[in-house]
Amino acid sequence: MILLDGKKLSGEIRDELKIKVDLLKAAGSKVPHLAAVLVGENPASKAYVGNKIRFCEEVGYKSTLISASTDITQTELLDIIIQLNEDEDIDGYIVQLPLPKHIDEATINLAIDHRKDVDGFHPMNFGRMAEGMTSYLPATPAGIMEILSRYNIDTDGKHCVVVGRSNIVGTPMSILLSRKGNPGNCTVTLTHSRTKDIKAELLRADIVIAAIGIPEFIKGDMIKEGAVVIDVGINRVEDSSRKSGYKLVGDVAFDEVSPKASAITPVPGGVGPMTVTALMLNTFKAATKEIY
Ligand code: GUN
């Protein structure tokens, strides 16, 4: 069994990016500049945004954090978006989700200039992705594609079962893996909460993408011998033996599934670090105008 080590890969890509940033500096060009908008006090969102800002510092990008109180109005948030769209120094930015209930995420997403949408959530980028055109890919799917590519996982003609149909992970993953390309060329089954028999679908899978957000949902008896298993879940479950009071587990029961898998991502240290890394790769593309 091969452990698909996202933490190690992320370190390698970080080193590659550092070299590229140094080359930009040496050429007298400006360094990539990422901004992040954080609304409210959600601890997970704060941690994710903190990781993104830290990664920027590590590779030599400029970063700007805009923190807003949870009672910011939608109009005030749209004003921030307009400023970020107009700010010529900022190459790309993200608005961390989820947003408070009184703000419509779709309206905010549409207001983001698609040329600065390094999250790849804007319909222009989503549509271009679906058409097989160059675009900013959403970070988690892009991170998974990078893992499959750098570990030389053969996807051609394989049957891939995606569990979960979110706009951020499941749906784009199903599009990317069915596209003509490498990684790609899979026959994809997209399963979700209304799928009649997920276990039967999973048992036919050469590649499993688990993105449902239910701790250890996929058990050992739901996986075919030799399958490649990509676990997107990051779930906090109670663990009184730890100082924090919780531990992180994926959507896959790792101890049961890993002996049957030919390759598997751990949690933590698998897809998670690659998500931040993919955002950094997108930001570099934004700064060097590779897409638009
Ligand atoms: N919330 C959970 N994942 C993400 C992400 O990739 N980007 C943003 N902006 N918010 C998120």
Side-chain angles (χ1 to χ4, degrees), residues 45 48 52 94-98 119 121 138-140 168 275:
S45 291
Y48 291 141
K52 292 168 187 176
I94 61 146
V95 178
Q96 188 65 28
L97 304 177
D119 253 335
F121 293 168
T140 302
I168 295 182
T275 294

Side-chain angles (χ1 to χ4, degrees), residues 28-40:
S29 306
K30 85 183 230 356
V31 297
H33 185 177
L34 174 74
V37 182
L38 175 64
V39 180

Side-chain angles (χ1 to χ4, degrees), residues 26 75 79 199 208 217 228-229 254 285 291:
T75 309
D79 282 341
K199 182 176 172 179
V208 173
F217 175 81
V228 173
V229 180
F254 185 88
K285 288 180 184 160
I291 311 247

